[in-house]
Amino acid sequence: MFTFFGLFADPISDLPRQISGVWPDLKLIELQKPILAIAGRFGEDRYVPSDEDIPEGIVLATERLSSRISSARFLLLRTECWGGDCANWGQIIRDGRTAFQADGDGALRRLIGYWGVDIGPREIFEPLSRSFNWG
């Protein structure tokens, strides 16, 4: 089984510092494709992989960050894969509130679509591969 919980945000000046102020242990990387974003993968100390939720504390902290930097889009994303079958769900946060939520078929495609990118019906998103280097 593969499980993932991550944060993606627009690469706005000073945002990495502010994210690190909230989660000092979250290692941030810069994505160039398929979306231009800063990203971090939360460890299992921040969520319970068997629970199908996005922890409320992380949502609230992200909403607070978003209210301070209203021009930034934030994506909280959960993924679980068994064999080749994956389930994705998450939410887009803007202006201090959840602007969009998605789960079920095509959820990852719809969420990434907020960046103006279509990852296609197969929903291939490189940061979710086992071989992706999160540092």
Side-chain angles (χ1 to χ4, degrees), residues 13-23 65 68-69:
S13 177
D14 197 46
L15 186 55
R17 184 190 64 75
Q18 290 191 44
I19 291 171
S20 294
V22 176
W23 299 291
L65 279 169
R68 291 195 307 255
I69 304 173

mmCIF file of all heavy atoms in Angstrom, residues 13-23 65 68-69:
data_model
loop_
_atom_site.group_PDB
_atom_site.id
_atom_site.type_symbol
_atom_site.label_atom_id
_atom_site.label_comp_id
_atom_site.label_asym_id
_atom_site.label_seq_id
_atom_site.Cartn_x
_atom_site.Cartn_y
_atom_site.Cartn_z
ATOM 1 N N SER A 13 6.767 34.572 -2.892
ATOM 2 C CA SER A 13 7.864 34.999 -2.032
ATOM 3 C C SER A 13 7.448 34.965 -0.569
ATOM 4 O O SER A 13 6.350 35.369 -0.213
ATOM 5 C CB SER A 13 8.276 36.419 -2.422
ATOM 6 O OG SER A 13 9.289 36.886 -1.580
ATOM 7 N N ASP A 14 8.310 34.464 0.261
ATOM 8 C CA ASP A 14 8.141 34.387 1.711
ATOM 9 C C ASP A 14 7.201 33.271 2.171
ATOM 10 O O ASP A 14 7.132 32.976 3.347
ATOM 11 C CB ASP A 14 7.681 35.727 2.293
ATOM 12 C CG ASP A 14 7.883 35.797 3.795
ATOM 13 O OD1 ASP A 14 8.971 35.411 4.257
ATOM 14 O OD2 ASP A 14 6.945 36.195 4.504
ATOM 15 N N LEU A 15 6.460 32.648 1.263
ATOM 16 C CA LEU A 15 5.547 31.581 1.678
ATOM 17 C C LEU A 15 6.296 30.372 2.248
ATOM 18 O O LEU A 15 5.869 29.831 3.266
ATOM 19 C CB LEU A 15 4.610 31.176 0.541
ATOM 20 C CG LEU A 15 3.522 30.173 0.913
ATOM 21 C CD1 LEU A 15 2.673 30.655 2.084
ATOM 22 C CD2 LEU A 15 2.632 29.909 -0.298
ATOM 23 N N PRO A 16 7.396 29.922 1.647
ATOM 24 C CA PRO A 16 8.119 28.798 2.259
ATOM 25 C C PRO A 16 8.520 29.065 3.707
ATOM 26 O O PRO A 16 8.401 28.193 4.566
ATOM 27 C CB PRO A 16 9.339 28.616 1.360
ATOM 28 C CG PRO A 16 8.899 29.138 0.031
ATOM 29 C CD PRO A 16 7.996 30.304 0.360
ATOM 30 N N ARG A 17 8.952 30.286 4.000
ATOM 31 C CA ARG A 17 9.330 30.636 5.372
ATOM 32 C C ARG A 17 8.122 30.561 6.297
ATOM 33 O O ARG A 17 8.201 30.052 7.409
ATOM 34 C CB ARG A 17 9.952 32.036 5.420
ATOM 35 C CG ARG A 17 10.445 32.415 6.818
ATOM 36 C CD ARG A 17 10.846 33.879 6.917
ATOM 37 N NE ARG A 17 9.738 34.794 6.707
ATOM 38 C CZ ARG A 17 8.770 35.049 7.597
ATOM 39 N NH1 ARG A 17 8.776 34.454 8.762
ATOM 40 N NH2 ARG A 17 7.803 35.901 7.316
ATOM 41 N N GLN A 18 6.977 31.042 5.815
ATOM 42 C CA GLN A 18 5.779 31.018 6.642
ATOM 43 C C GLN A 18 5.285 29.584 6.871
ATOM 44 O O GLN A 18 4.847 29.236 7.967
ATOM 45 C CB GLN A 18 4.687 31.874 6.021
ATOM 46 C CG GLN A 18 5.026 33.349 6.097
ATOM 47 C CD GLN A 18 3.852 34.223 5.744
ATOM 48 O OE1 GLN A 18 2.742 33.975 6.187
ATOM 49 N NE2 GLN A 18 4.106 35.251 4.946
ATOM 50 N N ILE A 19 5.362 28.746 5.837
ATOM 51 C CA ILE A 19 4.978 27.344 5.996
ATOM 52 C C ILE A 19 5.899 26.670 7.005
ATOM 53 O O ILE A 19 5.454 25.937 7.886
ATOM 54 C CB ILE A 19 4.991 26.604 4.641
ATOM 55 C CG1 ILE A 19 3.850 27.120 3.754
ATOM 56 C CG2 ILE A 19 4.875 25.089 4.838
ATOM 57 C CD1 ILE A 19 3.896 26.622 2.319
ATOM 58 N N SER A 20 7.193 26.935 6.895
ATOM 59 C CA SER A 20 8.161 26.353 7.834
ATOM 60 C C SER A 20 7.937 26.842 9.256
ATOM 61 O O SER A 20 8.244 26.127 10.213
ATOM 62 C CB SER A 20 9.587 26.670 7.391
ATOM 63 O OG SER A 20 9.866 26.009 6.172
ATOM 64 N N GLY A 21 7.396 28.039 9.413
ATOM 65 C CA GLY A 21 7.063 28.527 10.742
ATOM 66 C C GLY A 21 5.933 27.739 11.386
ATOM 67 O O GLY A 21 5.888 27.588 12.605
ATOM 68 N N VAL A 22 5.030 27.220 10.561
ATOM 69 C CA VAL A 22 3.912 26.420 11.070
ATOM 70 C C VAL A 22 4.335 24.968 11.266
ATOM 71 O O VAL A 22 4.006 24.355 12.282
ATOM 72 C CB VAL A 22 2.706 26.503 10.098
ATOM 73 C CG1 VAL A 22 1.577 25.595 10.558
ATOM 74 C CG2 VAL A 22 2.215 27.937 9.967
ATOM 75 N N TRP A 23 5.056 24.420 10.287
ATOM 76 C CA TRP A 23 5.501 23.022 10.334
ATOM 77 C C TRP A 23 7.013 22.983 10.118
ATOM 78 O O TRP A 23 7.484 22.725 8.999
ATOM 79 C CB TRP A 23 4.789 22.198 9.263
ATOM 80 C CG TRP A 23 3.306 22.170 9.413
ATOM 81 C CD1 TRP A 23 2.596 21.551 10.402
ATOM 82 C CD2 TRP A 23 2.342 22.792 8.563
ATOM 83 N NE1 TRP A 23 1.253 21.742 10.216
ATOM 84 C CE2 TRP A 23 1.060 22.503 9.092
ATOM 85 C CE3 TRP A 23 2.425 23.565 7.404
ATOM 86 C CZ2 TRP A 23 -0.109 22.963 8.505
ATOM 87 C CZ3 TRP A 23 1.258 24.019 6.821
ATOM 88 C CH2 TRP A 23 0.008 23.721 7.370
ATOM 89 N N LEU A 65 -2.814 30.451 7.067
ATOM 90 C CA LEU A 65 -1.782 30.878 6.117
ATOM 91 C C LEU A 65 -2.424 31.534 4.903
ATOM 92 O O LEU A 65 -1.986 32.577 4.430
ATOM 93 C CB LEU A 65 -0.952 29.675 5.647
ATOM 94 C CG LEU A 65 0.159 29.176 6.532
ATOM 95 C CD1 LEU A 65 0.676 27.837 6.024
ATOM 96 C CD2 LEU A 65 1.274 30.193 6.598
ATOM 97 N N ARG A 68 -3.567 35.081 5.277
ATOM 98 C CA ARG A 68 -2.474 36.060 5.292
ATOM 99 C C ARG A 68 -1.909 36.311 3.902
ATOM 100 O O ARG A 68 -1.364 37.379 3.632
ATOM 101 C CB ARG A 68 -1.354 35.593 6.224
ATOM 102 C CG ARG A 68 -1.746 35.631 7.685
ATOM 103 C CD ARG A 68 -0.548 35.530 8.606
ATOM 104 N NE ARG A 68 0.322 34.410 8.368
ATOM 105 C CZ ARG A 68 0.391 33.310 9.122
ATOM 106 N NH1 ARG A 68 -0.390 33.194 10.180
ATOM 107 N NH2 ARG A 68 1.235 32.353 8.849
ATOM 108 N N ILE A 69 -1.986 35.290 3.044
ATOM 109 C CA ILE A 69 -1.457 35.398 1.679
ATOM 110 C C ILE A 69 -2.594 35.027 0.731
ATOM 111 O O ILE A 69 -2.645 33.931 0.179
ATOM 112 C CB ILE A 69 -0.231 34.474 1.485
ATOM 113 C CG1 ILE A 69 0.818 34.800 2.538
ATOM 114 C CG2 ILE A 69 0.356 34.652 0.096
ATOM 115 C CD1 ILE A 69 1.985 33.862 2.551
#
